Amino acid sequence: MEKFGFVIHPISFGDISRKFGPVANFLPKKLVLSTMKKVGPQEVSHIIGIKSATGKEAEGWFTACTLTTEQMAKLPEEFVIKKIIDAVNLAAQQGAKIVGLGAYTAVIGDAGITIAKNVDVPVTTGNTYTVATALLGLKWAAEKLGTDLSQCRVGVMGAYGSIGKACSKILAGSVGELALIGRKQNELERLKEAISSNGPVSLHTDAHEVLPTLDALVTVTSAVDSVIEPEDLKIGAIVCDVARPRDVSKRVAEVRDDVLVFEGGAVLVPGDVDFNFNFGFPPKTSYACMAETMILALEGRYENYSLGRDLEVAKVEEMIKLAEKHGFKLAGLRSFERAVKEDEIIKLKERIAKKKTSA
C-alpha cells in the first residue's frame, strides 16, 4: 500500500464557519481568526480506496494548516511557512511518504522549496499536473465551442507564477497571439524573452484593458479576492480559472450567459476512493494538485517533484503519461461548483453565435 499526504487550509472564513458551525458564527470573527492562528496542524481525514489501473493501491491523509488565504498573504512569511511545515510533518507522522501542498500553501514564499528543505519527506505542489489538466480542459472546451485556438488571442493571467509560466511556454506558438498578463513588467519581459521566438507575444500590466480582447484565458493569480468581473470578458470567451481562491467573480455566472468559465484541474480518481471530507467536488473527484500527489505515490516516485516557479515542460508531458497509466482522467468541466453538461455547451454555442451576429 502506497501512502501520501496532502495539506489543505480554509480558503476563507466561510470554510471555518462551515466546519465549526454555530461556535464560529457566534464568536467575533476577529477572535476566531486569532484562535486559528494559534492552533496547530489538524488531521482532517483518512483517504481510502484509491486503486490504480495497474492494480496498485494507495491511501492518504488530509492535514490542515489552519490559516485562511488572507492570513497567509498578510502574516509574516516565516510564520506561515512554519505552520505549513507542521502540517506536512503531521502527514508524515501518519505514514505519508510524499506530501502535496494545496491551494495557497503551494504559493507562499518560494513555492515549496523552503518547505521541502525543512521536512523529512518529499514534497510537491501538484502544479505540473494542474498545468496539464488546465490546458487539456482549455483545448476540450475550445473544440466543443468550435473555437480554433491557433487563430485566437489567448491570455495567461498571473503569467510569471509557476503554473502561469509553464502554461505560457506550452501555449506559445500554438495560438494566434499569446498575451502575458501580470503586474510586474520586468517579470513579463523576462518571460517573453524565453518564449517569443515561438510566436507572437504581447505584454500587459493592465488586466482590465486587455481582458475584453481575449478569445481564451488561463488565469492563475495569487490574488486573495476575485479579479475578473462580467464586464471584463469578450462574447464567447473561454476562461480556465485555476486559481484558489477563484480569480473569476461569481457575478460572471449570474449575468454572463455568453462565456464559458470553468475550474481548471478536476480529475476522476481511479478505484472506489473515499476522501472522507467534502471539499466541494463530486465523489471520486479531486483537484489535479491532489491527483499529482496520488500519482507519484502509486508510481513509487517518492521525490520532490513540482517545486519553485520554473516547472519543467517535460514533466508536464511525463505527468500526462503517468496519469493515463494509473487511470486518472479529466472529469469534464466544472463551473462554480457544478458540472457543465454537453447540452449546456451546445446552447451556449448558439447564444454566442446569435450575440456575435447582432453585435
Side-chain angles (χ1 to χ4, degrees):
M1 178 76 72
E2 307 298 337
K3 301 177 187 292
F4 69 92
F6 195 83
V7 177
I8 60 176
H9 70 91
I11 300 296
S12 65
F13 184 78
D15 289 335
I16 298 174
S17 296
R18 282 189 291 275
K19 175 66 176 176
F20 297 103
V23 175
N25 292 325
F26 174 76
L27 296 172
K29 179 179 178 181
K30 188 175 180 179
L31 176 59
V32 174
L33 291 174
S34 177
T35 301
M36 297 301 283
K37 188 169 70 171
K38 298 172 184 175
V39 171
Q42 302 291 304
E43 181 182 343
V44 177
S45 72
H46 183 204
I47 305 162
I48 58 174
I50 301 168
K51 187 171 184 179
S52 162
T54 67
K56 274 188 140 183
E57 297 183 38
E59 64 176 338
W61 293 266
F62 280 138
T63 58
C65 167
T66 55
L67 301 176
T68 66
T69 305
E70 186 175 7
Q71 285 178 308
M72 288 188 181
K74 291 182 177 180
L75 289 168
E77 189 174 285
E78 296 80 7
F79 175 81
V80 175
I81 289 176
K82 177 61 168 60
K83 294 277 282 187
I84 298 169
I85 287 171
D86 290 343
V88 171
N89 286 333
L90 178 58
Q93 289 169 20
Q94 301 299 324
K97 298 178 183 178
I98 186 170
V99 178
L101 304 177
Y104 219 76
T105 69
V107 175
I108 200 74
D110 50 15
I113 294 174
T114 297
I115 294 167
K117 289 178 179 177
N118 288 277
V119 295
D120 295 327
V121 289
V123 171
T124 184
T125 61
N127 285 346
T128 298
Y129 194 40
T130 297
V131 170
T133 55
L135 296 181
L136 287 170
L138 187 69
K139 181 181 178 182
W140 187 88
E143 289 174 351
K144 289 295 181 182
L145 289 178
T147 301
D148 183 357
L149 293 177
S150 69
Q151 303 299 313
C152 288
R153 192 179 202 202
V154 179
V156 178
M157 189 164 166
Y160 44 75
S162 57
I163 295 174
K165 192 179 294 185
C167 286
S168 299
K169 290 177 179 178
I170 295 170
L171 287 170
S174 65
V175 299
E177 179 191 338
L178 182 62
L180 305 179
I181 309 165
R183 291 177 295 179
K184 300 176 182 177
Q185 180 74 24
N186 61 329
E187 294 286 350
L188 293 175
E189 290 173 353
R190 192 174 295 119
L191 178 56
K192 181 179 179 180
E193 286 179 14
I195 64 176
S196 59
S197 60
N198 295 330
V201 177
S202 58
L203 309 182
H204 307 272
T205 55
D206 187 339
H208 297 293
E209 182 178 71
V210 67
L211 286 174
T213 73
L214 301 178
D215 302 294
L217 172 71
V218 176
T219 181
V220 57
T221 77
S222 55
V224 173
D225 297 310
S226 57
V227 290
I228 299 175
E229 298 295 338
E231 57 272 16
D232 291 322
L233 299 175
K234 181 179 182 178
I235 294 172
I238 302 169
V239 182
C240 176
D241 189 350
V242 186
R244 296 295 177 272
R246 293 187 184 91
D247 280 340
V248 181
S249 166
K250 285 187 176 181
R251 288 185 57 239
V252 173
E254 296 166 359
V255 304
R256 292 296 301 268
D257 64 354
D258 57 357
V259 298
L260 175 57
V261 178
F262 67 94
E263 299 160 4
V267 176
L268 283 172
V269 179
D272 192 19
V273 60
D274 188 346
F275 293 103
N276 288 304
F277 178 72
N278 179 12
F279 49 88
F281 272 15
K284 303 182 182 181
T285 308
S286 81
Y287 287 110
C289 52
M290 297 174 182
E292 178 177 307
T293 313
M294 300 173 206
I295 292 166
L296 290 170
L298 288 167
E299 189 67 10
R301 294 278 294 272
Y302 294 121
E303 61 192 60
N304 293 327
Y305 197 81
S306 302
L307 294 178
R309 308 201 185 281
D310 285 299
L311 300 178
E312 299 174 33
V313 171
K315 280 189 172 181
V316 177
E317 296 166 353
E318 178 185 46
M319 189 50 62
I320 290 173
K321 292 177 182 177
L322 291 178
E324 291 175 353
K325 172 183 175 179
H326 290 287
F328 290 76
K329 300 176 182 178
L330 201 65
L333 302 185
R334 292 184 61 78
S335 181
F336 296 96
E337 299 181 358
R338 54 177 293 276
V340 180
K341 299 178 181 177
E342 290 270 354
D343 62 331
E344 292 179 275
I345 295 178
I346 293 171
K347 292 176 182 177
L348 171 61
K349 186 176 179 180
E350 293 172 352
R351 286 196 299 272
I352 291 170
K354 287 180 181 179
K355 288 198 175 186
K356 284 185 174 179
T357 301
S358 60

